[in-house]
Every structure is written in structure tokens, then in C-alpha cells.
Amino acid sequence: MRTYGQPSKFEEPVKRLVGQPFGKLAPGAGVSFTPLQSLTGTITPNGLHFERHHGGVPEIDPARHKLLIHGLVKKPLAFDVAALLRYPMVSRTYFIECSGNSFRNTLPQAQDVPCGAIHGLLSCSEWTGLPLAVLLNEAGVDAGAKWLLAEGADAAGMSRSIPLSKALDDTLIALYQNGERLRPEQGYPMRLVLPGWEGNMSVKWLHRLKLTDGPTHTRDETSRYTDLMRDGRARQFTFEVGVKSVITQPSGGMTMPGPGLHQLSGLAWSGAGRVTKVEVSADGGATWRDATLQAPVLSKSLTRFHLPWNWNGAPAMLQSRATDEKGNVQESRSAWNAQYSSANRYHNTMIQTWAVNANGSVKNAYA
Ligand SMILES: Nc1nc2c(c(=O)[nH]1)N[C@H]1C(S)=C(S)[C@@H](COP(=O)(O)O)O[C@H]1N2
Ligand SMILES: [Mo]
């Protein structure tokens, strides 16, 4: 008997890949990547949810934490955690993707690293909590309020501006993640979840919401998370995550066990809603076949796809291309590069190519 279970010791290699590029200067800041290549289905186990912390993980005693709603409201309100836990709650399955996900594929050379090290700033959970609209209605939104400032209680005091329309639509204050209380890394005791929008806006360790008449232009929406275009200008407020997919099996660093029948599998998602189609190519995009989408296909959630592939043992270029219910189609590498500066690292949705060599080795490739 164990009071809290752990994976089998034989699964020890399945873990997050930690990157702390700021070293001694800011030891709590950095990322850890979900090992997408080692997982299947669509739900990320809580211990493997990717992490992005701008100022480390605060240790918050829920008995001492409050959420303040103020600014352009009729009645400023403060809620402690116990009060929020008494509300009726909803459960929704949504992905969170960091705006910096897949930045490695914007570097000049294709990096020979596993799928998760490229695309693993992406995870999906069943989030349980309150629609933010419930609390905003209780506070009474003034007619002049058009935006919210959401602020976290971490050392970074990370904050973002959120349009009121999104806050009143499907935004959640999440208290639970896959049935248990949020992990500290995911924002314990409460975080925002903005379905389908860039991960940075889902403010963790949420402690303040201020209703405002316009965006606040915080650090993370001016100096960061903007798209550098080819003409040198930057595009601000790219909220919705683009339509995207990646083959996770086989993927970089794996070796095909030999010619014959293989089950290709991967993940597709879109911030605009449901994924409606995933096409797979084994010849670098010359010809495509429709993959099977695993039910249920949920809006703003990860969708698992499968396709049997008879590998003849010759070199191949595997790609996947997703389409969503709004008709958006995932972009090729060249189409993406034609729009953005080569220095842009955010919101990369370009098609991934895995090169399968005659010896069966699988490597990241640019095509
Ligand atoms: N308060 C606070 N909220 C935050 C962050 C942070 O550093 N501080 N990181 C943001 C970023 S950049 C992303 S991508 C997501 C990551 O959520 P996760 O760590 O639960 O995967 O949280 C966002 N919310
Ligand atoms: Mo992020």
C-alpha cells in the first residue's frame, strides 16, 4: 500500500526535460517539457504537465490566499479559497500551450532532439473550477470596463491583460487538475485557464483581477509574446493558438524496428475549436492520407490521431497537417517563414517533418 502512488520504477525514463537557461541569476525561472513521445491518449498526467515559471513556484498556504476583484466594478470583492470551493463547479478538458512552444524549429539548424523537447510546452488536463463570469457578475461589471488585468502571486508578479469578452465567455478559475487540487507548478491554489489562448495568459497563483477600460500593456505583452514580422514591426496580442499537429510516434530519436506495418500516432489541436481533419504524408508533403481521429474530439483540447503505415524500408519524410472547424489549415514551414522575421520565436505552428532513414533512425528535419 502506498498513500500516494507513483509510476512503475521501470518507467523512470519517462520524465519532464528541464531547461533553466537563466542559471544562477534566476534559478526558479525556466521551463520543463512534457515527454509527448512517451505518452498516448490526450490527458497529460499531472506530474508530467509542462512548466513555465517566470519567477519560480511560490509556496502558497491556501488559508492565507485571497483573490481580489476590483477596478471598474460596482462592488470590489475578495474571495478566500474556502469561499470559492463552495461554488458549483464545472469540469472542462483544455490544452495549455506556451507561446514559445516549438521555438526550437525556428532556429537555423534542425535540432536532433526528441519530440517533447521541441513541442512539449503543451499539455492537456481536465480542469475543474468556476466560470470567471460567475464572479464578475457578482462584482457587477461597470459599463466602461472592457479589459481585465490578471496578476499572479509569484515572485515575477506575472500579469496579462485579458479582453472582457473572453473573461465572460469560457474562461475558468481552475482549482482542480485531473480530479485533484492543482499542483503547485500549475498555480496552486488557483489559476486562470483561457481555453485555446496562448498559455502565458492563463495566469497561475492568481490573486488579483482588475477591471480596466483598456489593456495595461504589461511586460509580458510588450517586450515578450509579440510576433516579430519580416518588416521589423511586432504584432501584439496574438491570443488564439493556431491550428497545429505533430506525429509523436515515431518521432525524433526513435528507431523504426524494421520495414512493415506501423501505427503512426500523434496530437492535433486548435485554439479556434475542434480539429476536423488530420492528414499525414510519408513523402514530405507530396501526397496525403487522412488519419483517424480518436473520439471524443473536444473543442480546444488535444485530439489523438492514428494511421497505419506500411514502411517499405526506404527513406521517408513524415508530416502531419491539421484542419480545424473554422477551416484553418496548419501552415507549412515555408509559409510560416514567409510571414515572420527569422528572429521570431513565438506562436510557431509550422508543420513538423520527421526524416526516417533507411536504417530506421528518425530525426528532426526541415522541409
Ligand atoms: N503567475 C504566473 N502565471 C503564469 C506564468 C508565470 O510564470 N507566472 N507562466 C505563464 C506561461 S508563459 C505559461 S506557458 C503557462 C504555463 O502553465 P503551466 O506551467 O501550468 O504549464 O502559465 C502562464 N502563467
Ligand atoms: Mo509560455
Side-chain angles (χ1 to χ4, degrees):
M1 306 299 166
R2 289 197 280 183
T3 54
Y4 198 101
Q6 295 293 316
S8 161
K9 66 179 182 186
F10 301 105
E11 296 298 315
E12 195 276 334
V14 179
K15 51 191 169 191
R16 294 187 286 221
L17 177 78
V18 175
Q20 289 174 290
F22 314 110
K24 288 201 170 73
L25 192 63
V31 290
S32 75
F33 296 80
T34 297
L36 298 175
Q37 69 283 355
S38 306
L39 304 176
T40 190
T42 56
I43 296 293
T44 311
N46 288 344
L48 295 175
H49 196 288
F50 87 87
E51 302 165 272
R52 173 72 182 101
H53 313 313
H54 292 237
V57 180
E59 186 182 271
I60 298 182
D61 176 352
R64 298 177 55 198
H65 185 81
K66 278 195 169 65
L67 169 64
L68 173 67
I69 302 184
H70 69 138
L72 298 175
V73 290
K74 307 238 159 14
K75 186 173 48 153
L77 294 173
F79 298 89
D80 59 23
V81 178
L84 291 184
L85 287 169
R86 293 182 59 183
Y87 280 76
M89 296 194 199
V90 296
S91 297
R92 303 272 186 267
T93 302
Y94 294 125
F95 70 79
I96 293 184
E97 183 183 24
C98 179
S99 336
N101 198 26
S102 319
F103 74 89
R104 266 181 224 271
N105 279 352
T106 67
L107 301 175
Q109 304 295 324
Q111 314 260 301
D112 185 15
V113 293
C115 178
I118 303 173
H119 304 291
L121 297 180
L122 168 76
S123 298
C124 186
S125 301
E126 184 200 66
W127 304 100
T128 299
L130 293 68
L132 175 55
V134 171
L135 301 186
L136 293 180
N137 288 337
E138 207 172 306
V141 177
D142 279 349
K146 295 285 177 281
W147 289 71
L148 279 82
L149 173 71
E151 184 184 65
D154 51 338
M158 216 214 72
S159 55
R160 284 294 306 257
S161 304
I162 298 164
L164 181 64
S165 53
K166 181 67 173 177
L168 293 174
D169 179 15
D170 53 3
T171 296
L172 294 179
I173 294 184
L175 299 156
Y176 293 81
Q177 168 187 7
N178 295 326
E180 65 179 0
R181 293 287 290 277
L182 294 182
R183 292 285 171 102
E185 303 91 307
Q186 264 65 63
Y188 184 86
M190 65 180 82
R191 80 173 304 162
L192 285 180
V193 172
L194 269 62
W197 284 23
E198 61 172 349
N200 183 256
M201 304 179 79
S202 287
V203 173
K204 302 188 283 188
W205 314 293
L206 180 72
H207 76 160
R208 190 163 74 97
L209 292 167
K210 184 182 183 185
L211 284 281
T212 57
D213 58 2
T216 304
H217 299 292
T218 68
R219 173 187 180 275
D220 284 293
E221 57 202 22
T222 49
S223 78
R224 296 287 180 274
Y225 302 106
T226 55
D227 303 309
L228 195 54
M229 310 305 285
R230 290 187 74 92
D231 63 5
R233 293 191 297 173
R235 190 192 279 162
Q236 196 184 13
F237 296 143
T238 303
F239 296 144
E240 194 177 281
V241 168
V243 64
K244 194 166 165 183
S245 67
V246 60
I247 296 171
T248 55
Q249 182 76 38
S251 58
M254 294 183 183
T255 304
M256 304 281 290
L261 196 60
H262 296 273
Q263 286 295 330
L264 306 183
S265 172
L267 292 168
W269 64 102
S270 167
R274 282 183 187 72
V275 169
T276 50
K277 184 163 70 170
V278 178
E279 300 156 288
V280 172
S281 174
D283 50 18
T287 60
W288 298 91
R289 280 169 58 200
D290 284 359
T292 303
L293 305 186
Q294 183 178 296
V297 176
L298 302 174
S299 181
K300 304 172 187 179
S301 173
L302 294 185
T303 297
R304 173 68 52 181
F305 64 86
H306 303 279
L307 187 71
W309 177 46
N310 204 352
W311 183 46
N312 62 10
M317 301 276 251
L318 293 175
Q319 298 184 335
S320 64
R321 178 170 69 187
T323 302
D324 69 24
E325 62 181 326
K326 299 276 161 61
N328 301 307
V329 183
Q330 186 178 1
E331 286 179 323
S332 67
R333 183 176 182 81
S334 54
W336 201 86
N337 283 338
Q339 286 176 64
Y340 300 104
S341 156
S342 59
N344 184 39
R345 300 282 173 265
Y346 294 120
H347 307 114
N348 175 13
T349 60
M350 61 174 79
I351 288 173
Q352 166 72 49
T353 304
W354 300 119
V356 181
N357 303 301
N359 66 4
S361 69
V362 183
K363 282 191 162 58
N364 185 21
Y366 287 175

